[in-house]
Amino acid sequence: MSEWVALVIAMAAACAVVVAVVLLRHRRVGTEKKVDETPDVIEYITMMIGVVYAIVLGLAIAGVWEARGAAQDDLFREAQSLREVSDRAVVYPAEFRDQVRADVDGYVTYVVNVEWDYMAKHGEITDKGTELLEKLQNDVATRSPASDLESQAYQPIMDRISQASDARNQRGQNAGPGMPGVVWFGLLGGAVVTIGMLFALQIRRTPRELILAACFSALIAFLLFMIWDFDDPFARSVSVTTQPFVDLFPSLNLKS
């Protein structure tokens, strides 16, 4: 089932539950019974619960959005560093230059075509990808510079490889859901309490009140889905893609 279909079903279910509870409640108490005005204290408590829950939602959304942005930046840094390694290898003799570029291309191809799906499914990076990057690092580190130009290029290339390795480690740490279970408990529990407080306001079954209650519950369902979707930056519908690798290594047969 598509995640967007699941979202529509969840929003529709939230609306249906609220409307059904209101209708059943009025059917049980009788339509002719006079509905008293809501006490001021209940209105105040409902408002405070809504404000507190809105703050919690806002912090959760900001947190997962920031994490997704950091994951996107790390991926671009990894791709850009490897592109510079491949470009700077021009100072080496043809044989070693081709070896360095083959190491870079092999790593990039593996990450995009193999490791990315594994990371999305298992929430971690692979040992094979780490070995490929270490091979590139060892090939450059163990070759003594044969000229002044190679000596000048050696340290910048090693720095770019180190940046790529650091970005890879960050990608591994960001893979998989990052929201603690206790936070989800608070978000879901807060949603139940916040929507439940609607009934303390003695909502009647007029079309206007039912529509507002349904829209409110659908909005909360949408925000919770958005937090869940952003919580895993590499595996869901609004995930970080391999586009930086595809753009910077157009000659490779990479999956887009």
Side-chain angles (χ1 to χ4, degrees), residues 21-252:
V21 170
V22 172
L23 294 178
L24 291 174
R25 176 171 172 267
H26 277 271
R27 178 175 296 182
R28 182 175 60 83
V29 301
T31 57
E32 296 181 357
K33 183 178 178 180
K34 182 179 179 180
V35 179
D36 298 329
E37 293 184 0
T38 303
D40 292 340
V41 65
I42 294 182
E43 292 183 354
Y44 176 77
I45 293 174
T46 302
M47 179 186 68
M48 291 306 300
I49 290 176
V51 170
V52 171
Y53 188 62
I55 294 174
V56 173
L57 276 177
L59 291 175
I61 293 172
V64 295
W65 180 260
E66 182 179 359
R68 182 185 181 279
Q72 182 72 62
D73 293 341
D74 290 333
L75 182 66
F76 180 80
R77 183 160 56 96
E78 181 180 2
Q80 181 63 37
S81 297
L82 292 170
R83 178 72 260 180
E84 291 187 22
V85 170
S86 184
D87 291 341
R88 289 174 182 269
V90 70
V91 300
Y92 292 114
E95 182 179 356
F96 186 71
R97 179 180 66 240
D98 293 342
Q99 180 183 344
V100 171
R101 290 178 174 175
D103 288 343
V104 172
D105 293 348
Y107 172 78
V108 171
T109 302
Y110 176 80
V111 167
V112 175
N113 294 346
V114 179
E115 186 178 60
W116 200 264
D117 292 337
Y118 179 90
M119 184 177 62
K121 183 177 181 181
H122 299 280
E124 60 183 7
I125 56 179
T126 64
D127 293 336
K128 177 65 174 178
T130 303
E131 292 174 1
L132 291 174
L133 189 57
E134 288 178 350
K135 181 179 182 303
L136 169 64
Q137 187 174 28
N138 292 334
D139 287 345
V140 176
T142 56
R143 183 183 186 280
S144 300
S147 65
D148 291 341
L149 188 59
E150 291 184 19
S151 298
Q152 295 173 8
Y154 173 79
Q155 192 57 50
I157 291 178
M158 291 300 298
D159 290 342
R160 298 304 181 274
I161 295 176
S162 296
Q163 290 176 7
S165 179
D166 179 68
R168 172 182 173 79
N169 292 334
Q170 291 296 324
R171 175 161 59 86
Q173 294 177 10
N174 290 328
M179 189 78 71
V182 65
V183 177
W184 275 115
F185 177 80
L187 290 173
L188 296 175
V192 172
V193 172
T194 302
I195 294 177
M197 288 301 295
L198 291 175
F199 305 113
L201 298 176
Q202 300 184 20
I203 294 178
R204 292 162 292 185
R205 54 183 184 181
T206 62
R208 180 177 60 182
E209 291 178 276
L210 289 179
I211 291 174
L212 289 176
C215 290
F216 179 72
S217 59
L219 175 62
I220 290 182
F222 171 75
L223 292 176
L224 290 175
F225 170 83
M226 184 170 63
I227 294 172
W228 173 83
D229 202 21
F230 286 165
D231 187 35
D232 191 343
F234 297 109
R236 292 172 182 159
S237 60
V238 194
S239 62
V240 176
T241 68
T242 59
Q243 196 61 41
F245 283 116
V246 176
D247 292 341
L248 293 174
F249 295 90
S251 63
L252 301 180

